[in-house]
């Protein structure tokens, strides 16, 4: 499997388009973007890839996140240094200073400072304090912030209308379409795959990237044994393609 | 900035660059960058050739803890080197925390050609970081390609900051960490903890 991140799939295209739209938003304080979707659709991987490409400040919310812990994590991710105080007010000031420094640097290089918070469910579950802390930071410095969570995060955020109203872009990760699966396979698979097997793989993996990667690995293993010839359903009949997410049962080509 | 102003404030006479370096404990280049910024801000003046002292504005700034205007804050190497292969690989390591080489390339590469170039760079860079104690080997391997044995997974044990540690060429396996301004060598008993 080639180590390439596939950008030509609908979820990634939607993410990039939403971020472009966020940069040209109407209300300056609406600088939150929410990404949600079921596990296994590639949200975290996309967040990581995008974060590295744009140089985002990336943090992962944790179970039990508190106001102070959230500020500490953000400060560490911004400055690369551990926070030297536990006082929330001092932490907030230190974080604002560190973010301002990043904004000045970004201005010099023509980039944008962005914060990306993965597993945002934990941040929202952390209660009003954590959510308000994120709002304070985005309001004070107008830094675009991307919240990545599972499909319940949007519903949970609606409990805080003052924050929910600041979400100007929402992206919902959906299972990959047939065209997406074709794009992924043609980009990363080391062997040529026929259309019938692509369609079968799409049905078998249900549009989940985790399962799709497993299927591609199986196809490659089989294809390279056949000296690299194009692989179709007929050739792979009877071979295990992947394992079912719910039952763990092998899904056989046929 | 504060150590520089304090050193100048404590001195009776003007200080030369060498004296400032010793008094502040900063690296020479870093001290020069700060001195230039404070000169532009009007907080420091040149009393004589190569000799500097504090202005009344500088004393006020030190007393009030006034920060430098943002446009005068010295640019760090982070800004200048943001797009090098090493910087992208280091950012990818900090982002992923646990990874194999293929993961890093997938995260850091801009396109397929870039991915091919990064592969060699990642191999060398990871080997140097491992020697210096930044990377810890995890159990097992992950098969990213059916024709190879699989790639080792690693954990970034010492995330020292946003600037990429730089292997020093022709100096054994030593690595300079600009986040800590220190050199780490493989024979050291402890890593950059």
């Amino acid at each position: 499997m080639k180590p390439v991140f596939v950008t030509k799939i609908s979820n990634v295209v939607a993410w990039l388009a939403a971020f472009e739209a966020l940069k040209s938003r109407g209300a300056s304080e609406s600088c939150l973007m929410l990404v949600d979707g079921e596990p296994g659709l590639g949200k975290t991987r996309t967040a990581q890839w995008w974060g590295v490409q744009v140089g985002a400040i990336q943090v992962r919310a944790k179970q039990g996140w508190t106001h102070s812990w959230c500020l500490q994590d953000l400060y560490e991710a911004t400055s690369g240094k551990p926070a030297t105080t536990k006082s929330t007010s001092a932490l907030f000031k230190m974080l604002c200073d560190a973010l301002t420094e990043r904004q000045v640097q970004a201005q010099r290089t023509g980039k944008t400072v962005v914060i990306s918070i993965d597993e945002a469910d934990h941040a929202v579950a952390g209660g009003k304090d954590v959510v308000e802390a994120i709002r304070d930071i985005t309001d004070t410095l107008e830094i675009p912030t991307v919240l990545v969570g599972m499909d319940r995060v949007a519903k949970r955020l609606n409990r805080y209308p003052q924050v929910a109203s600041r979400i100007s872009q929402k992206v919902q990760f959906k299972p990959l379409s047939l065209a997406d699966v074709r794009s992924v396979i043609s980009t990363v698979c080391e062997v040529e795959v026929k259309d019938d097997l692509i369609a079968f793989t799409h049905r078998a993996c249900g549009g989940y990237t985790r399962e799709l990667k497993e299927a591609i690995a199986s196809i490659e293993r089989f294809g390279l044994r056949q000296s690299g010839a194009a692989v179709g359903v007929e050739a792979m009949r009877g071979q295990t393609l992947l394992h079912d997410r719910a039952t763990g049962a092998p899904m056989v080509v046929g | 900035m504060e150590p520089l102003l304090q050193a100048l404030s404590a001195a009776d006479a003007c200080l030369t660059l060498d004296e400032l370096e010793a008094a502040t404990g900063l690296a020479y280049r870093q001290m020069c960058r700060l001195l230039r910024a404070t000169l532009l801000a009007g907080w420091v003046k040149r009393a004589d050739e190569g000799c500097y002292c504090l202005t009344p504005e500088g004393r006020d700034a030190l007393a009030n803890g006034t920060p430098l205007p943002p446009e005068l804050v010295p640019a760090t190497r982070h800004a200048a080197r943001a797009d090098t292969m090493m910087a992208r690989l280091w950012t990818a390591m900090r982002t992923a925390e646990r990874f194999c080489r293929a993961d890093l390339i997938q995260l850091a590469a801009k396109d397929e050609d870039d991915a091919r170039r990064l592969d060699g760079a990642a191999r060398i860079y990871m080997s140097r970081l491992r020697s210096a104690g930044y990377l810890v080997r995890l159990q097992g391997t992950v098969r990213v390609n059916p024709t190879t044995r699989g790639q080792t997974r690693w954990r970034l044990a010492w995330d020292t900051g946003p600037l990429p540690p730089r292997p020093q060429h022709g100096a054994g396996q030593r690595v300079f960490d600009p986040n800590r301004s220190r050199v780490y060598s493989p024979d050291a008993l402890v890593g950059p903890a």
Side-chain angles (χ1 to χ4, degrees):
Chain A
M1 210 180 303
K2 295 176 202 161
V4 181
F5 185 82
V6 186
T7 52
K8 287 176 187 156
I9 56 174
S10 49
N11 289 330
V12 179
V13 170
W15 177 306
L16 297 177
F19 186 68
E20 281 307 309
L22 180 74
K23 285 204 285 188
S24 51
R25 62 195 178 275
S28 57
E29 72 278 12
S30 303
C31 43
L32 289 175
M33 177 170 137
L34 181 67
V35 180
D36 63 357
E38 287 177 58
L41 291 175
K43 297 183 300 294
T44 297
R45 194 48 142 187
T46 308
Q48 289 181 339
W49 167 81
W50 177 79
V52 172
Q53 300 300 319
V54 301
I57 296 158
Q58 302 191 70
V59 288
R60 182 188 181 281
K62 284 118 188 152
Q63 175 67 39
W65 236 24
T66 59
H67 187 184
S68 161
W69 189 1
C70 162
L71 293 177
Q72 279 179 26
D73 279 0
L74 279 168
Y75 177 75
E76 274 190 43
T78 308
S79 67
K81 292 177 245 167
T84 49
T85 174
K86 284 187 178 167
S87 151
T88 314
S89 59
L91 265 173
F92 185 77
K93 191 179 175 310
M94 281 164 65
L95 175 60
C96 285
D97 289 347
L99 285 169
T100 306
E101 199 181 315
R102 287 287 287 258
Q103 280 179 315
V104 172
Q105 285 175 3
Q107 207 172 297
R108 288 194 176 113
T109 51
K111 290 194 169 178
T112 314
V113 175
V114 191
I115 299 173
S116 165
I117 301 177
D118 194 13
E119 306 293 354
D121 308 70
H122 294 319
V124 180
K128 196 178 169 197
D129 283 353
V130 179
V131 177
E132 289 288 348
I134 296 167
R135 178 191 157 203
D136 284 342
I137 293 156
T138 56
D139 272 10
T140 311
L141 301 167
E142 286 192 13
I143 293 179
T145 302
V146 180
L147 303 173
V148 184
M150 282 189 285
D151 47 355
R152 278 169 302 175
V153 71
K155 207 171 168 186
R156 283 180 173 172
L157 261 178
N158 284 337
R159 280 186 284 172
Y160 310 103
Q162 69 279 30
V163 179
S165 65
R166 282 168 164 75
I167 298 171
S168 67
Q169 296 296 324
K170 283 185 186 172
V171 179
Q172 178 149 37
F173 266 48
K174 295 178 184 140
L176 301 179
S177 65
L178 178 60
D180 291 336
V181 171
R182 183 174 288 121
S183 175
V184 174
I185 290 178
S186 65
T187 311
V188 304
C189 191
E190 307 260 11
V191 296
E192 198 184 331
V193 184
K194 289 183 181 167
D195 271 353
D196 57 349
L197 186 55
I198 292 177
F200 184 85
T201 306
H202 175 238
R203 283 196 303 276
C205 73
Y208 289 97
T209 49
R210 264 177 216 160
E211 279 77 358
L212 178 58
K213 278 162 82 175
E214 191 189 341
I216 292 173
S218 305
I219 294 169
E220 277 185 344
R221 261 196 310 276
F222 180 82
L224 291 169
R225 281 203 304 267
Q226 315 299 313
S227 57
V231 183
V233 169
E234 198 51 50
M236 261 194 94
R237 195 174 294 280
Q239 301 282 329
T240 300
L241 188 67
L242 52 94
H243 290 82
D244 184 76
R245 164 176 288 222
T247 62
M251 298 187 79
V252 177
V253 180
Chain B
M1 181 202 62
E2 213 176 303
L4 181 82
L5 296 184
Q6 272 170 354
L8 287 167
S9 165
D12 297 330
C14 66
L15 294 180
T16 63
L17 294 179
D18 290 340
E19 286 166 346
L20 273 172
E21 186 189 5
T24 55
L26 297 171
Y28 185 79
R29 277 191 181 180
Q30 192 187 358
M31 188 274 297
C32 287
R33 278 202 299 271
L34 282 176
L35 183 65
R36 182 178 178 275
T38 47
L39 266 168
L40 290 172
W43 294 354
V44 171
K45 67 176 181 188
R46 202 175 75 150
D48 199 355
E49 198 174 338
C51 202
Y52 299 87
C53 67
L54 218 53
T55 62
E57 291 82 8
R59 281 185 202 287
D60 288 348
L62 179 63
N64 302 328
T66 315
L68 270 175
E71 65 276 13
L72 292 180
V73 175
T76 62
R77 290 171 197 150
H78 180 53
R81 292 170 171 264
D83 264 342
T84 60
M85 279 190 189
M86 213 187 288
R88 280 187 281 141
L89 287 169
W90 176 249
T91 311
M93 283 182 208
R94 295 183 72 215
T95 303
E97 291 175 9
R98 289 170 307 280
F99 46 82
C100 63
R101 198 172 72 245
D103 291 332
L104 291 186
I105 294 163
Q106 193 185 48
L107 292 177
K110 290 175 177 166
D111 50 45
E112 241 176 285
D113 288 340
D114 193 35
R116 273 192 286 275
R117 283 193 295 272
L118 268 175
D119 190 44
R123 204 183 284 265
I124 297 166
Y125 191 45
M126 288 171 76
S127 145
R128 299 296 287 269
L129 290 187
R130 187 202 58 200
S131 305
Y134 285 85
L135 300 183
V136 172
R137 190 184 185 134
L138 298 175
Q139 289 292 313
T141 56
V142 56
R143 284 193 81 173
V144 292
N145 192 320
T147 55
T148 56
R149 279 185 305 159
Q151 292 186 3
T152 309
R153 282 183 62 76
W154 301 92
R155 183 169 69 83
L156 181 62
W158 310 119
D159 179 0
T160 52
L163 306 180
R166 295 202 300 272
Q168 293 190 317
H169 297 290
Q173 295 282 309
R174 291 194 300 186
V175 170
F176 172 70
D177 191 329
N179 301 296
R180 303 231 172 133
S181 296
R182 278 190 63 185
V183 172
Y184 295 104
S185 56
D187 49 354
L189 290 175
V190 287

